[in-house]
Amino acid sequence: MPGSTPVTQSILQAVDELLRRVIAWTQDSHGTPITPPAVATQIQVVDELCQSRMLPELFMPLHTASGRIMVEYEGYLIHELGKYRPENGSPGPGFWASIKELAVARQEADQPPIERLEPVSTLLQAGVSHAQIGLQIYGRRGVGPFIQSNGDVDVALIELEAREPGSVIADDWVPPWHLEAIDRRRQQLEQQTAILSKMETARHYDDPCTVEEMLQQGAFVQQVQRAKGVSRAKVLVAAQRIGVTPVDGPGYQQSHPGGEVSAATLEPDDDEQSERETVRSLVIETYQQSNGEKTAAEIVQELRSWGHDVSVNVVSGFIGHWKRRQKLEAAGAV
């Protein structure tokens, strides 16, 4: 492409590799819904290339898209609400939407320029043969305006175009191989966005076992609910139908007689998510109140004194994710 540099080419290659890995991941029937290390590594590579340097205007959508991917991926790592699907451990809808945005930006950043060929008269004056003009310059693989149905070059048409420019080749003529390249790129983008849109739509993990089979294998009621996307009542009915005693997961408490529900009736995953959101809010609030001067270790010490079990890595992740989101919001990218 015009203005191409080693830097922009390396960015396009890195983005292409990320898209290839993501699509391969989604198409792997034996794969895991959890983000593979190969994809995670390439996300970092693309982010470093797109965020660490000044890019031409045509590449700014790639800059924005890669930043959004990192925000979504960091939110996924810290299990931020809406960015992590607890039913199967995969990234939330926003992650797939950001990858789709990257695919679109990738195509826009590298649209092949329309090939402008030397006028036929100029080529003849330079000593280029009629065969070269018809078969190699203005034609490829037996297709071109100067190629006859039998595959031979039409010398008369070449001479006519040389004498009267535009008589054979219109001003808006586009080489057919160029149109083919554009069409291939369009089809590739359509395939990518279709796959990513499907992943963007939230859905429950479809365990190959039935509800009854899972109960017979000893799965907890809550495990069956998440895996099959059904209510507790349906699980209990299925257990009664096949004569299996339903077993709740550790920490689960049923409603007390009279319909009153204790504060502990939340399932373990819900409790964990609630605690995580609380800790995240406290971390950001504490960091902001210190004007960014408190270290992650200091914040950990403060939160532990309040009874929250948290690590330096988790606190650093919350702060880093918040900073990146603030930067994108300030740029009007989110």
Side-chain angles (χ1 to χ4, degrees):
M1 62 179 287
S4 175
T5 67
V7 170
T8 56
Q9 282 303 307
S10 65
I11 289 175
L12 293 177
Q13 291 169 5
V15 170
D16 284 342
E17 180 60 18
L18 173 57
L19 293 171
R20 186 194 68 78
R21 294 185 185 187
V22 169
I23 297 300
W25 167 34
T26 65
Q27 301 300 289
D28 184 0
S29 59
H30 301 291
T32 170
I34 298 171
T35 307
V39 171
T41 299
Q42 197 63 20
I43 287 175
Q44 297 285 349
V45 170
V46 170
D47 180 66
E48 290 173 6
L49 286 172
C50 290
Q51 303 295 323
S52 62
R53 63 196 76 218
M54 295 295 293
L55 299 177
E57 184 177 353
L58 201 59
F59 277 63
M60 291 313 296
L62 280 176
H63 171 87
T64 301
S66 65
R68 286 179 175 171
I69 290 173
M70 278 303 298
V71 167
E72 293 295 331
Y73 182 65
E74 289 174 344
Y76 163 74
L77 290 178
I78 62 177
H79 292 194
E80 183 178 344
L81 188 63
K83 300 187 184 301
Y84 173 85
R85 286 174 173 155
E87 67 267 22
N88 64 357
S90 74
F95 173 83
W96 302 105
S98 66
I99 295 289
K100 185 166 60 176
E101 180 183 342
L102 183 76
V104 174
R106 163 57 180 102
Q107 296 286 47
E108 293 176 350
D110 189 27
Q111 287 295 335
I114 295 178
E115 194 171 356
R116 297 300 180 187
L117 305 178
E118 288 286 341
V120 171
S121 58
T122 303
L123 293 171
L124 287 175
Q125 291 170 8
V128 181
S129 69
H130 291 89
Q132 286 178 305
I133 292 173
L135 299 175
Q136 299 175 17
I137 299 176
Y138 277 85
R140 290 184 187 176
R141 297 188 298 277
V143 177
F146 301 121
I147 299 177
Q148 302 180 70
S149 58
N150 63 1
D152 292 338
V153 173
D154 192 326
V155 176
L157 280 182
I158 293 177
E159 292 290 344
L160 175 61
E161 177 64 23
R163 292 193 307 271
E164 302 176 20
S167 59
V168 179
I169 304 296
D171 290 338
D172 59 352
W173 181 78
V174 178
W177 53 88
H178 177 81
L179 296 176
E180 290 173 3
I182 292 176
D183 191 54
R184 284 195 301 272
R185 290 165 64 88
R186 178 188 58 77
Q187 291 179 20
Q188 180 188 44
L189 180 59
E190 288 177 354
Q191 292 169 356
Q192 290 174 338
T193 54
I195 291 170
L196 296 168
S197 293
K198 185 176 179 181
M199 297 300 297
E200 186 181 355
T201 305
R203 66 191 189 283
H204 289 286
Y205 173 59
D206 188 14
D207 192 287
C209 294
T210 64
V211 171
E212 290 79 7
E213 288 171 337
M214 291 188 71
L215 288 169
Q216 289 171 338
Q217 293 173 9
F220 295 128
V221 172
Q222 290 72 38
Q223 289 176 317
V224 179
Q225 286 181 255
R226 296 188 195 101
K228 305 306 297 181
V230 298
S231 67
R232 175 181 175 83
K234 288 187 177 180
V235 176
L236 298 182
V237 168
Q240 183 180 20
R241 184 169 58 248
I242 62 175
V244 171
T245 302
V247 179
D248 286 306
Y252 180 85
Q253 296 183 20
Q254 297 186 32
S255 301
H256 291 298
E260 295 181 3
V261 180
S262 71
T265 56
L266 285 174
E267 294 181 19
D269 278 356
D270 294 330
D271 283 332
E272 180 182 349
Q273 182 65 55
S274 178
E275 170 65 8
R276 182 178 289 275
E277 289 300 311
T278 298
V279 168
R280 186 179 68 82
S281 297
L282 289 173
V283 167
I284 301 307
E285 183 180 349
T286 303
Y287 183 76
Q288 287 179 297
Q289 288 179 348
S290 71
N291 293 320
E293 295 181 0
K294 282 191 176 181
T295 65
E298 291 173 331
I299 295 176
V300 165
Q301 186 176 6
E302 189 168 339
L303 263 64
R304 284 180 175 174
S305 70
W306 298 340
H308 298 283
D309 184 16
V310 64
S311 68
V312 172
N313 286 342
V314 169
V315 169
S316 297
F318 283 143
I319 294 174
H321 178 58
W322 177 80
K323 283 182 175 179
R324 186 180 292 273
R325 176 174 284 278
Q326 292 294 111
K327 181 179 177 181
L328 282 177
E329 288 179 350
V334 294

